[in-house]
Amino acid sequence: MNFDDLFGHIGQHTVDGLSKGAIYALIALGYTLVYGVLRLINFAHSEVFMVGTFAVLGLWTAFGVENNPPIGQAVLLLVLGLIVAALASGGTALAIERIAYRPLRRKNAPPLIFLITAIGLSLVLVEIFGLVLPKLLGEAVPSIFGRARIILGMPTIIEQKTLFTIFGTSITNIQLIVFVSAVVMMALLDWFINRTRYGRGVRAVAQNPETAALMGVNQERVIMLIFVLGGIMAGAAALLWSMRFGFTQNSIGFVLGLKAFTAAVLGGIGNLRGALVGGLFLGIVEVYGATLFQSSWEDVIAFVVLVVVLMFRPTGILGESLGRARA
């Protein structure tokens, strides 16, 4: 165990963990929103994130982007990437809800059927991007989809540079952009849920769907809204992932989705602010663990921490449901 490296560079490892955990937190919001309203674990949400990464890659490839474009062009590409990823992920999430979950709700299917359906949808989306789509498109875009089963690199839009150093801890422009962007997105979502009319509808359905329906709240619109919001957050996470790590593949959502779900459970499933806390906590623990042991133990450490935390705090760190959330 490498205690010298861990404690000798504790600040640097913390910053790395925060920027990584911020991405987990954004993805975790999708799990939290859906569970908070429907009491459903949407395991297909990990592939909603995957679709967002391919949307970003497709946009940048279509524009013929090369590494390190001028700053003005880079900002435009990031804004367009955010819009395209949000539309792609939000649209995918909405399609999943309309095509798969809505018919099951109308038939009052048991929770196990929803869970099996979610897992099946996840596998279908992975195979579409890994096998079916390349055959349908042929050689039209071989640089993107023709090699989807291997890791696909992305162009570097913003070159990573150290902005400043605090007590020996270097903070790069990418780390700062990722962390600040993620926190701003989560703060906007928290404000939307707690301060707006539509947000009150979401909380009402989460707390008591029958009473909410009697008060005139359209449950179907609320359900559509939470899937779209979760998809938009996943799309934003896809853009930040593309900036920080710069690669994607058809199976990229599997482990990331499990970690984001872990973050949601750690923070308190159904709690928006808990998703933030859980994501940041998980990111830091992962980096600490990888430094203390080996990087190959990173995934193991994340799930061991989940088990340990839930042994002492089964409802998660914050443990407040979406229906009881208040500003």
Side-chain angles (χ1 to χ4, degrees):
M1 292 190 291
N2 195 349
F3 286 103
D4 292 338
D5 187 14
L6 176 62
F7 292 109
H9 304 89
I10 189 72
Q12 193 65 61
H13 297 318
T14 301
V15 171
D16 292 341
L18 287 174
S19 63
K20 191 175 186 179
I23 297 176
Y24 292 159
L26 275 179
I27 305 173
L29 290 171
Y31 292 103
T32 287
L33 283 168
V34 173
Y35 182 85
V37 172
L38 294 177
R39 295 298 184 267
L40 164 67
I41 304 299
N42 179 24
F43 280 117
H45 185 64
S46 56
E47 273 51 66
V48 172
F49 164 80
M50 179 269 292
V51 171
T53 63
F54 272 91
V56 173
L57 177 58
L59 174 72
W60 290 348
T61 302
F63 278 101
V65 178
E66 299 181 355
N67 290 334
N68 304 321
I71 185 63
Q73 183 180 344
V75 172
L76 178 61
L77 288 169
L78 291 177
V79 172
L80 291 176
L82 176 61
I83 294 172
V84 170
L87 289 174
S89 294
T92 301
L94 182 60
I96 288 172
E97 194 282 322
R98 294 287 91 180
I99 295 172
Y101 295 146
R102 186 180 186 185
L104 293 178
R105 289 201 313 275
R106 288 182 170 179
K107 295 179 180 180
N108 293 319
L112 181 60
I113 301 301
F114 282 93
L115 180 62
I116 294 172
T117 301
I119 295 173
L121 282 170
S122 177
L123 294 175
V124 166
L125 287 171
V126 168
E127 290 306 313
I128 285 176
F129 277 80
L131 179 63
V132 177
L133 192 58
K135 292 183 178 179
L136 292 177
L137 297 178
E139 297 299 319
V141 281
S143 61
I144 303 177
F145 300 108
R147 300 179 288 117
R149 286 188 177 273
I150 65 174
I151 295 176
L152 301 174
M154 296 185 179
T156 301
I157 302 300
I158 297 180
E159 183 180 2
Q160 183 164 275
K161 296 179 180 179
T162 300
L163 291 180
F164 49 86
T165 301
I166 303 177
F167 300 113
T169 299
S170 299
I171 299 176
T172 67
N173 52 350
I174 299 297
Q175 289 172 331
L176 189 62
I177 290 172
V178 168
F179 181 77
V180 172
S181 299
V183 171
V184 169
M185 291 288 291
M186 286 180 279
L188 289 173
L189 180 62
D190 187 77
W191 171 84
F192 180 85
I193 295 296
N194 286 295
R195 295 290 186 180
T196 67
R197 175 189 173 190
Y198 295 105
R200 288 195 295 271
V202 170
R203 288 189 282 119
V205 173
Q207 186 171 14
N208 193 317
E210 292 78 14
T211 302
L214 292 174
M215 298 297 292
V217 178
N218 190 318
Q219 293 187 48
E220 289 300 320
R221 289 183 181 178
V222 167
I223 293 170
M224 291 173 61
L225 177 62
I226 61 169
F227 272 88
V228 170
L229 288 175
I232 290 173
M233 294 297 113
L239 175 67
L240 298 179
W241 172 273
S242 303
M243 289 177 57
R244 191 182 190 280
F245 296 100
F247 71 90
T248 187
Q249 62 181 142
N250 65 314
S251 59
I252 193 173
F254 179 71
V255 174
L256 276 174
L258 288 177
K259 290 182 179 180
F261 175 66
T262 299
V265 174
L266 280 174
I269 189 72
N271 186 323
L272 295 180
R273 297 170 187 177
L276 171 61
V277 173
L280 297 179
F281 177 75
L282 182 62
I284 292 173
V285 168
E286 269 195 6
V287 174
Y288 284 0
T291 304
L292 190 59
F293 300 99
Q294 294 178 350
S295 58
S296 58
W297 285 81
E298 185 177 90
D299 298 339
V300 177
I301 292 168
F303 297 113
V304 168
V305 169
L306 171 65
V307 172
V308 172
V309 169
L310 294 184
M311 286 175 60
F312 297 97
R313 182 76 176 175
T315 58
I317 297 172
L318 299 186
E320 181 186 354
S321 72
L322 185 64
R324 294 192 297 271
R326 293 293 181 268

